[in-house]
Amino acid sequence: MVDKVRQFLENYYTYIFMTIILLFMHSFISLDYYDDQSFSQVLGNINLIDFTYQRYMLWSSRSIIELVLVIVAKYAIIWKILNIFFYLLITFSMSRLTCTSNSNYCRVITPMLIMLYPFEDMSPAGWAASSTGYFWTLTLGVFSITLVRSSLYRKLKWWEYLLFICSMIYATNHEQMLIYMIPILIGFAVYTVYKHNPSITAWIGLTIAGLNAVYVFMAPGNQVRKNRAISIAIPDFNTYSILDKINMSFGYTMNHFLLRYDSVYFLFILLLFLAVMFLTREVFAILISAIPIVWAILVQIPGLNRIDLIFGEQVVITAINMDNMKNYLHIMIAFVILASIVSSLIMIFGNTWEFVLNLSVLAIGLVTRIALGFSPTIFRSHDRTLIFFYFSIIFVMINITQKQEIEKNINRKWINIVLVLYTLVNVGFLIYRLAINGGQIPKWG
């Protein structure tokens, strides 16, 4: 009995540690604000069929997500238990997708990196309203990918197919997750054809995603919400060209990381720099990888950090202002940073499929945010729409730490200690903000 307990603790100690932290964090969270409060009053006032029909016709195609939301928003304890479960599930799923060797090391790295995600981004619209629509859809999408991958090497059991179908239906009911899943499923489907693999899991997933896409695009409520957002946020939105919308969303996304301190992004560029330094002795390569670090430090220096005045306003290029180079500066700097990141990935992974995989995941994550440029709600949805890009970054970071050449040059024990402390400081600061603000981060603050 003692041996079984010891073995259990050795295998799952990181999940136990993570659960304890999450229980403490969720004990401070309140669902008595914003959209959580309004959704908590749905049950008892209207039957769910009428509620779903009205929302689909007048506001949103996220019918399945909102059916779950009206239940968990009413019973906060259910939401807290499920949200902790989804934290553990995405940790498990990411580990299955990335951890290839030295599992003990990876079992520490993965949960700590996942807990670095700024969960406070779920706060402005309400914890339950945002998490069910973003965090839970992402988690079930990633879990679905693990099942697709497993199906390439073994036959899934009937209950795994059931879980896969339910997870896909829920995950792709969200527009951004739909964009995230389709290219990944296409990649798996093409692979099965190329390798003459009999697995049909990816094709089932694509069918579900396709049906959800039709459901999303045909929803009258999405157009109603879009028109209202246009009238409130960007009255001249319909005059923007495709390039205007891409420029707006790309600039807004990159400014989030380039003009402020972000714990996930800073750790990512630091890891890229250290990895390149370990893998190559070429000064030029190291200098290229250092560009994002130098920029991140510069914008934090008092006096220099007011460079954000150059980027503060999202400018749409027109015939009137197209000659003003200032309007292009933020895009130019963003492309330099992105070029440095891509160059670092090439130096780390080389000209391999591993490089293609990690770059593709980053690109898909970025596209899920840029696609919001075609909706006037990009500014109203705020930072929670970055979650798919955040977890793409985390996926790549875990893969970088798995490089054997890097592991030979680092002391894993100290890396684990530093990462745990770094994560605890970030989570501790979130808990402190929750404690002093009554369980809610101030709206848009």
Side-chain angles (χ1 to χ4, degrees):
M1 181 65 180
V2 175
D3 291 338
K4 289 183 179 180
V5 172
R6 183 184 296 111
Q7 185 177 3
F8 177 82
L9 292 175
E10 288 177 355
N11 292 333
Y12 299 103
Y13 69 94
T14 53
Y15 289 94
I16 296 172
F17 179 66
M18 187 178 188
T19 302
I20 293 172
I21 296 175
L22 289 172
L23 284 169
F24 188 62
M25 182 181 84
H26 281 72
S27 69
F28 288 93
I29 292 177
S30 171
L31 304 188
D32 295 332
Y33 300 86
Y34 314 136
D35 289 351
D36 289 349
Q37 192 173 36
S38 59
F39 277 103
S40 69
Q41 299 169 4
V42 171
L43 291 179
N45 293 327
I46 185 174
N47 71 70
L48 293 181
I49 294 177
D50 289 343
F51 169 76
T52 301
Y53 176 76
Q54 290 180 13
R55 294 288 292 182
Y56 186 73
M57 297 300 295
L58 300 175
W59 195 253
S60 173
S61 60
R62 300 177 188 174
S63 306
I64 298 168
I65 295 171
E66 291 187 347
L67 281 174
V68 173
L69 173 59
V70 296
I71 297 173
V72 298
K74 185 174 182 63
Y75 305 103
I77 186 64
I78 296 178
W79 173 81
K80 292 182 180 183
I81 293 171
L82 287 176
N83 203 57
I84 293 172
F85 167 76
F86 278 110
Y87 254 109
L88 298 175
L89 179 60
I90 197 169
T91 302
F92 168 79
S93 300
M94 291 283 274
S95 297
R96 290 284 300 273
L97 292 173
T98 56
C99 297
T100 56
S101 61
N102 299 301
S103 58
N104 286 331
Y105 177 55
C106 193
R107 275 203 295 262
V108 174
I109 291 289
T110 304
M112 292 303 104
L113 289 177
I114 286 173
M115 291 193 68
L116 274 180
Y117 167 70
F119 192 67
E120 61 266 27
D121 289 352
M122 298 292 109
S123 172
W127 296 106
S130 295
S131 60
T132 54
Y134 291 88
F135 184 53
W136 294 13
T137 55
L138 172 70
T139 299
L140 291 176
V142 175
F143 175 66
S144 298
I145 294 171
T146 66
L147 293 175
V148 174
R149 185 186 179 192
S150 295
S151 72
L152 300 178
Y153 309 106
R154 64 177 178 86
K155 185 176 180 180
L156 298 183
K157 297 178 175 62
W158 69 267
W159 57 268
E160 289 179 306
Y161 274 114
L162 181 61
L163 285 176
F164 174 72
I165 291 171
C166 292
S167 297
M168 279 296 304
I169 290 173
Y170 187 94
T172 57
N173 192 226
H174 189 283
E175 305 90 325
Q176 279 185 280
M177 198 61 202
L178 194 60
I179 295 171
Y180 199 92
M181 291 297 292
I182 287 177
I184 293 175
L185 290 170
I186 289 175
F188 276 112
V190 170
Y191 178 84
T192 60
V193 173
Y194 177 72
K195 291 291 185 178
H196 303 287
N197 191 297
S199 173
I200 61 170
T201 312
W203 296 99
I204 295 174
L206 274 174
T207 301
I208 295 172
L211 291 173
N212 247 331
V214 172
Y215 186 76
V216 167
F217 288 121
M218 291 184 64
N222 287 340
Q223 188 61 46
V224 172
R225 188 173 78 251
K226 178 179 178 180
N227 291 338
R228 182 176 177 184
I230 289 174
S231 64
I232 295 174
I234 314 176
D236 56 346
F237 180 80
N238 288 327
T239 66
Y240 292 0
S241 68
I242 292 177
L243 287 178
D244 290 335
K245 293 172 183 177
I246 293 175
N247 170 52
M248 176 180 66
S249 57
F250 176 75
Y252 185 58
T253 300
M254 294 307 297
N255 288 355
H256 173 88
F257 297 102
L258 300 184
L259 300 179
R260 55 184 267 189
Y261 171 76
D262 184 277
S263 57
V264 175
Y265 171 73
F266 185 79
L267 189 61
F268 174 54
I269 58 177
L270 177 61
L271 182 60
L272 287 175
F273 172 70
L274 293 175
V276 171
M277 193 165 60
F278 287 141
L279 293 172
T280 178
R281 301 301 177 187
E282 297 181 17
V283 176
F284 182 72
I286 295 174
L287 290 176
I288 291 294
S289 67
I291 291 175
I293 289 283
V294 173
W295 176 263
I297 293 174
L298 283 177
V299 296
Q300 297 301 320
I301 297 176
L304 293 179
N305 60 359
R306 296 314 298 162
I307 197 169
D308 64 347
L309 295 175
I310 299 176
F311 304 93
E313 183 180 356
Q314 294 296 316
V315 178
V316 175
I317 308 300
T318 65
I320 298 175
N321 63 19
M322 63 183 300
D323 294 329
N324 187 349
M325 290 304 297
K326 175 182 175 181
N327 296 333
Y328 301 93
L329 189 56
H330 73 288
I331 295 181
M332 292 167 59
I333 293 176
F335 272 114
V336 170
I337 299 295
L338 287 178
S340 170
I341 291 173
V342 173
S343 298
S344 297
L345 290 175
I346 293 174
M347 287 181 276
I348 293 168
F349 295 108
N351 188 20
T352 64
W353 280 108
E354 200 174 3
F355 163 71
V356 175
L357 170 65
N358 285 278
L359 182 62
S360 297
V361 170
L362 273 182
I364 292 170
L366 181 58
V367 167
T368 62
R369 173 59 179 238
I370 293 177
L372 289 182
F374 294 89
S375 168
T377 60
I378 180 172
F379 299 113
R380 300 187 53 160
S381 298
H382 215 57
D383 294 341
R384 61 182 177 272
T385 55
L386 282 166
I387 186 171
F388 308 101
F389 189 36
Y390 268 119
F391 276 84
S392 293
I393 293 174
I394 291 170
F395 174 86
V396 174
M397 281 198 286
I398 298 172
N399 282 332
I400 292 174
T401 63
Q402 297 300 294
K403 293 289 290 181
Q404 293 182 357
E405 298 88 343
I406 296 174
E407 291 180 5
K408 293 176 183 177
N409 291 279
I410 60 176
N411 185 316
R412 281 185 238 150
K413 177 181 177 181
W414 283 108
I415 290 294
N416 286 347
I417 292 174
V418 171
L419 184 56
V420 168
L421 291 176
Y422 187 64
T423 302
L424 288 178
V425 168
N426 281 274
V427 175
F429 183 60
L430 170 58
I431 293 174
Y432 168 74
R433 294 176 69 196
L434 286 170
I436 64 174
N437 288 291
Q440 190 75 20
I441 306 300
K443 196 167 187 176
W444 312 127

